[in-house]
């Protein structure tokens, strides 16, 4: 359990449907988002295939994965925290319907605006059986390519005849998310699917699938509760009686793993168990975070950080504490273990041991209940150390505050990051107008933060190589159809570094045929057309990709005449008409999407029309 060498979970496998099932709908959340990582998730969600590099490089596979999931995924992220990809693709147009930004509302208890910080998935799968399978995934990992060390847990559930309030916190969390769906047809359709899941959740019984964990609790924080008030982590035993640790009840054992920490939170745990005769406490964090605390705040803890050999050579993505700077791999997991006598609890999810996380942010945690004989501090640290603490395989090292030098978190990058969030909160809207066969995009910002006068800030459409200085109104002219997007890039430069993020802007007048234009761009000749049709008809998506790639490389198919190609497709079409006739709808959509002459072979049209009638499209 949590052994870095052995206990690994693959993000794509966690999202892939169980055998015999396919995705019906998925709700996901993340603080920061990488669009290419979302594309990879769609391969797992839509095709139930691993997100390996070969698939990510195959445009036909990507196109079908995104088309298969467009209406089935609602992914919520912090507003202004979509990261700029290295290589921009028109396929990102197909991601627009999935992504929804969350700008959490300021509450009286918080200073400034809280962050939307949960990492969570709720997935509904359907199959030949009448009852669906639900899967809940709770993580500390954002949907990015960050190489930092994270933790995740997932479990499946099935429908029962008896309702329970066990899943009410999840329903409350879904209710919160629906407030950030768009008001268009896409948003309304996804709201209907989410509300349907909320009605079904009281009858879903999740199983941990492990004898070590006898029970569990869902712990969202920072959102309204259907029972009244707000869900707060302060109401759970982990943080009970925060303002008076003496009343909280001491702990025999405590482990905190958190990349970011605050003095008041660590001081609370440090003082909570001073009176306990048996009191063992471990803190695992980043070296850069230890500058936030003093010896008196943590004198009850044994403190550990990652060894330099593990840290070297990786780049991290901002999680609200800094910008896009060259950084080292480090821990990003959030784990809390508490033991009182024979009872052990393991908390994991998105919540850092920081003031903002506990008192302001929207977070999601899971508490797994166990017993001392199954799980305790000794067992958990032995797993984390990969054996003995002094062993060569232990990725962590014990440190003192004196050991930590002047290493600090990047505050400048965090400032630039915050400006983009403020710009996004200015409620930008856009309008598209046609202009002599091309298009103009006008973006309006209702308000701009005062800091805009202090920095060099530009805005540009994600898919167009055009940039303009940020202002209350910005106009981009002569854009092609595939240059149009709801995504815009905001770049902020302070003279030393630049931070760029993507925001999603509600847009009026967007042409409805952009998806067809993307398909037409990718399926641009007969060879691509045959490859795509073979892909749609294949029994296995992976096998179809491998077959088409091999035939393309050695010239055994696409260099032949149409008369040689049609029989092979005819055989596949016969098989598909019998086993999966619904796939012909995808071919029908493909034919209607292609705008270039000469892409669809004449012989194929004749064959397809016969099958179209047979399967009654």
């Amino acid at each position: 359990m949590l052994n870095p060498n052995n206990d690994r979970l693959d993000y794509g496998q966690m999202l892939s449907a169980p055998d015999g099932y396919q995705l019906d709908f998925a709700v996901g959340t993340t603080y920061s988002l990488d669009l290419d990582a979302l594309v990879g998730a769609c391969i797992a969600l839509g095709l139930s295939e691993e997100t390996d590099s070969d698939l990510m490089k195959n445009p036909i596979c990507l196109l079908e994965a995104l088309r298969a999931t467009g209406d089935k995924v609602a992914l919520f992220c912090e507003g202004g925290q979509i990261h700029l990809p290295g290589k921009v693709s028109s396929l990102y147009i197909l991601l627009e319907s999935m992504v929804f930004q969350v700008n959490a509302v300021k509450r009286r208890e918080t200073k400034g605006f809280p962050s939307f910080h949960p990492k969570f998935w709720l997935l509904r799968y359907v199959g030949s059986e009448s009852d669906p399978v639900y899967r809940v995934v709770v993580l500390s990992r954002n949907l990015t390519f960050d190489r930092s060390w994270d933790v995740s847990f997932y479990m499946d559930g099935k429908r029962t005849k008896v309702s329970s309030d066990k899943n009410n916190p999840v329903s409350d969390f879904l209710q919160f998310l629906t407030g950030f769906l768009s008001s268009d047809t896409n948003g309304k359709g996804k709201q209907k699917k989410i509300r349907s899941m909320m009605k079904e959740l009281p009858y879903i019984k999740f199983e941990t699938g492990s004898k070590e964990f006898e029970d569990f609790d869902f712990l969202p924080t920072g959102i309204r509760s259907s029972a009244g008030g707000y869900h707060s982590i302060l109401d759970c035993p982990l943080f009970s009686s925060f303002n008076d640790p003496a009343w909280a009840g001491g702990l025999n054992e405590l482990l905190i793993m958190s990349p970011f920490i605050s003095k008041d939170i660590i001081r609370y745990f440090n003082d909570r168990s001073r009176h306990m005769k048996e009191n063992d406490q471990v803190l695992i964090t980043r070296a850069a975070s230890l500058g936030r605390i003093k010896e008196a705040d943590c004198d009850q803890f044994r403190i550990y950080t990652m060894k330099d050999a593990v840290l070297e050579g990786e780049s991290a993505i901002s999680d609200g504490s800094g910008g896009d700077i060259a950084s080292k791999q480090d821990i990003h997991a959030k784990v809390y273990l508490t033991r009182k006598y024979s009872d052990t609890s393991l908390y994991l999810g998105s919540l850092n041991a920081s003031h903002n996380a506990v008192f302001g942010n929207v977070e999601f945690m899971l508490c797994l209940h166990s017993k001392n004989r199954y799980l305790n501090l000794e067992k958990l640290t032995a797993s984390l150390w990969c054996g003995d603490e002094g062993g060569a395989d232990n990725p962590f090292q014990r440190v003192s505050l004196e050991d930590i030098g002047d290493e600090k978190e990047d505050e400048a990058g965090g400032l630039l990051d915050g400006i983009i969030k403020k710009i996004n909160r200015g409620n930008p809207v856009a309008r598209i107008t046609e202009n002599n066969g091309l298009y103009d995009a006008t973006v309006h910002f209702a308000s701009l933060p005062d800091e805009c006068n202090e920095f060099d800030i530009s805005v540009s459409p994600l898919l167009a190589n055009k940039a303009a200085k940020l202002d209350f109104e910005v106009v981009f002219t002569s854009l092609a159809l595939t240059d149009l997007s709801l995504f815009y890039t905001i770049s902020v430069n302070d003279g030393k570094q630049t931070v760029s993020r993507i925001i999603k802007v509600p847009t009026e007048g967007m042409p409805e045929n952009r998806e067809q234009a993307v398909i037409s761009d990718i399926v641009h000749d007969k060879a691509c057309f045959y490859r795509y049709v073979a892909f749609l008809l294949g029994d296995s998506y992976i096998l179809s990709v491998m077959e088409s790639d091999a035939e393309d490389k050695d010239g055994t198919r696409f260099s032949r005449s149409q008369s040689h190609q049609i029989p092979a497709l005819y055989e596949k079409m016969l098989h598909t008409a019998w086993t999966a006739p619904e796939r012909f709808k995808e071919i029908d959509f493909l034919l209607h999407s292609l705008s270039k002459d000469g892409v669809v072979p004449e012989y194929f049209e004749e064959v397809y029309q016969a099958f179209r009638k047979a399967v009654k499209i």
Side-chain angles (χ1 to χ4, degrees):
M1 175 185 173
L2 296 187
N3 185 301
N5 287 339
N6 303 322
D7 302 316
R8 297 280 181 159
L9 290 176
D10 180 87
Y11 205 130
Q13 291 177 352
M14 285 190 291
L15 301 182
S16 296
D19 290 342
Y21 288 83
Q22 62 183 5
L23 179 69
D24 176 62
F25 198 76
V27 180
T29 69
T30 180
Y31 173 79
S32 53
L33 171 64
D34 187 299
L35 294 179
D36 285 333
L38 178 55
V39 171
C42 289
I43 291 176
L45 291 167
L47 307 183
S48 293
E49 301 291 356
E50 295 182 7
T51 57
D52 60 35
S53 58
D54 288 339
L55 287 183
M56 291 292 287
K57 294 176 183 177
N58 188 293
I60 288 177
C61 182
L62 298 181
L63 175 59
E64 186 56 25
L66 298 183
R67 288 207 58 251
T69 52
D71 294 332
K72 298 180 179 181
V73 176
L75 193 283
F76 298 85
C77 68
E78 167 84 355
Q81 274 297 303
I82 305 175
H83 291 259
L84 189 65
K87 185 177 180 180
V88 176
S89 168
S90 61
L91 282 170
Y92 295 152
I93 288 174
L94 305 183
L95 297 177
E96 295 171 358
S97 63
M98 305 181 200
V99 178
F100 300 92
Q101 297 180 126
V102 177
N103 293 319
V105 178
K106 185 176 179 181
R107 302 188 353 240
R108 287 184 300 176
E109 301 90 339
T110 62
K111 294 181 180 180
F113 289 102
S115 293
F116 177 75
H117 199 252
K119 300 94 168 61
F120 168 93
W121 285 92
L122 182 68
L123 307 109
R124 186 180 191 271
Y125 306 107
V126 293
S128 55
E129 298 182 13
S130 57
D131 288 338
V133 169
Y134 274 77
R135 178 171 295 167
V136 62
V137 185
V138 180
L139 317 95
S140 66
R141 184 172 187 80
N142 291 303
L143 191 51
T144 69
F145 293 111
D146 187 359
R147 300 294 296 174
S148 294
W149 291 27
D150 280 287
V151 64
S152 59
F153 181 88
Y154 73 95
M155 55 185 172
D156 290 350
K158 291 189 175 182
R159 186 179 177 87
T160 62
K161 294 182 179 180
V162 181
S163 66
S164 164
D165 60 1
K166 188 76 170 176
N167 300 331
N168 282 2
V170 178
S171 293
D172 291 344
F173 187 57
L174 295 181
Q175 175 63 37
F176 168 79
L177 295 178
T178 59
F180 298 93
L181 291 167
S182 55
S183 58
D184 57 10
T185 303
N186 172 57
K188 290 178 179 177
K190 290 183 175 176
Q191 182 180 82
K192 184 177 179 180
K193 293 292 292 188
I194 293 175
R195 293 200 180 281
S196 177
M197 296 170 79
M198 292 168 59
K199 290 180 181 178
E200 205 167 26
L201 272 174
Y203 296 92
I204 302 301
K205 184 178 181 180
F206 289 102
E207 301 280 358
T208 65
S210 170
K211 69 176 183 178
E212 289 82 6
F213 300 123
E214 60 188 14
D215 199 5
F216 63 88
D217 290 303
F218 295 117
L219 300 172
T221 185
I223 63 166
R224 289 190 179 276
S225 170
S226 54
Y230 280 83
H231 286 281
S232 173
I233 199 70
L234 294 172
D235 296 330
C236 82
L238 181 64
F239 285 97
S240 59
S241 303
F242 182 88
N243 293 324
D244 191 352
W247 287 94
L251 299 170
N252 297 119
E253 294 178 342
L254 169 69
L255 179 142
I256 299 175
M257 178 182 284
S258 175
F260 308 114
I261 59 177
S262 293
K263 175 180 177 178
D264 58 341
I265 305 301
I266 298 303
R267 185 67 180 254
Y268 160 72
F269 284 111
N270 191 67
D271 295 345
R272 176 174 172 175
S273 303
R274 283 185 181 274
H275 65 282
M276 300 289 290
K277 291 183 178 180
E278 180 190 352
N279 172 20
D280 194 2
Q281 301 187 171
V282 169
L283 171 63
I284 305 174
T285 187
R286 295 183 175 185
S289 295
L290 289 174
R292 295 176 176 269
I293 59 175
K294 299 185 184 216
E295 184 66 32
D297 305 321
C298 59
D299 58 7
Q300 299 293 302
F301 281 98
R302 291 182 282 139
I303 303 175
Y304 296 84
T305 62
M306 269 193 169
K307 292 179 178 177
D308 291 342
V310 181
L311 293 173
E312 302 263 334
E314 300 287 351
S315 61
I317 294 178
S318 158
D319 192 26
S321 62
D324 288 340
I325 59 172
S327 184
K328 300 175 181 179
Q329 172 178 278
D330 214 328
I331 64 163
H332 191 253
K334 293 86 174 170
V335 179
Y336 304 81
L337 177 138
T338 65
R339 184 180 70 80
K340 181 69 175 288
Y341 305 129
S342 64
D343 293 324
T344 305
S345 295
L346 183 69
Y347 298 82
L348 55 89
S350 66
L351 186 122
N352 286 294
S354 67
H355 184 89
N356 288 345
V358 173
F359 290 96
N361 294 350
V362 177
E363 309 273 0
F364 200 102
M365 296 289 285
L366 175 71
C367 178
L368 297 165
H369 301 287
S370 187
K371 292 293 184 181
N372 179 48
R373 64 181 179 272
Y374 294 126
L375 179 62
N376 53 47
L377 184 61
E378 181 181 2
K379 290 179 182 291
L380 183 58
T381 52
S383 181
L384 289 168
W385 305 160
C386 301
D388 295 333
E389 180 178 339
D393 291 335
N394 184 2
F396 299 98
Q397 60 188 353
R398 187 170 180 178
V399 300
S400 65
L401 294 188
E402 289 77 14
D403 296 329
I404 306 300
D406 296 330
E407 187 173 355
K408 295 181 180 179
E409 300 170 54
D410 177 62
E411 297 182 358
L415 172 63
L416 304 188
D417 221 26
I419 293 173
I420 296 176
K421 292 183 186 180
K422 290 181 180 180
I423 292 171
N424 185 65
R425 287 181 178 273
N427 299 317
V429 294
R431 174 179 287 277
I432 304 297
T433 54
E434 189 172 0
N435 185 358
N436 295 323
L438 296 174
Y439 299 89
D440 296 341
T442 304
V443 186
H444 296 272
F445 293 87
S447 62
L448 293 175
D450 295 337
E451 295 93 330
C452 285
N453 296 323
E454 304 173 21
F455 301 95
D456 181 14
I457 305 177
S458 65
V459 57
S460 62
L462 176 62
L463 301 180
N465 189 23
K466 295 188 177 186
K469 183 177 176 60
L470 182 68
D471 207 337
F472 288 98
E473 179 175 295
V474 183
V475 180
F476 301 95
T477 60
S478 302
L479 300 174
L481 183 60
T482 52
D483 290 339
L484 302 178
S485 175
L486 304 185
F487 294 133
Y488 288 81
T489 302
I490 304 291
S491 296
V492 183
N493 181 277
D494 65 355
K496 296 181 179 179
Q497 63 174 305
T498 299
V499 171
S500 297
R501 296 286 183 265
I502 297 169
I503 63 173
K504 183 181 176 183
V505 179
T507 302
E508 295 183 5
M510 186 68 78
E512 297 180 356
N513 57 337
R514 285 185 307 143
E515 182 175 340
Q516 287 87 338
V518 173
I519 296 173
S520 190
D521 262 4
I522 292 175
V523 187
H524 56 272
D525 57 25
K526 288 185 176 68
C528 290
F529 175 81
Y530 279 121
R531 186 186 290 116
Y532 198 2
V533 172
F535 182 71
L536 293 174
L537 296 175
D539 292 326
S540 165
Y541 285 112
I542 295 294
L543 184 59
S544 293
V545 171
M546 291 174 64
E547 287 178 350
S548 63
D549 285 348
E551 288 160 350
D552 190 23
K553 289 176 183 177
D554 63 21
T556 56
R557 172 170 295 180
F558 301 124
S559 61
R560 297 176 182 176
S561 65
Q562 292 179 13
S563 61
H564 284 83
Q565 296 166 5
I566 289 296
L569 284 178
Y570 184 81
E571 183 178 345
K572 280 194 172 186
M573 292 168 77
L574 278 174
H575 180 71
T576 304
W578 175 256
T579 59
E582 68 277 1
R583 290 188 182 176
F584 282 90
K585 293 181 181 179
E586 297 297 322
I587 298 177
D588 208 56
F589 181 83
L590 173 63
L591 293 175
H592 284 91
S593 300
L594 298 177
S595 59
K596 297 178 182 178
D597 294 335
V599 174
V600 181
E602 180 182 348
Y603 292 103
F604 181 85
E605 287 270 23
E606 296 175 4
V607 173
Y608 174 70
Q609 289 304 324
F611 278 96
R612 190 175 188 274
K613 292 178 181 178
V615 297
K616 299 179 180 179
I617 293 181

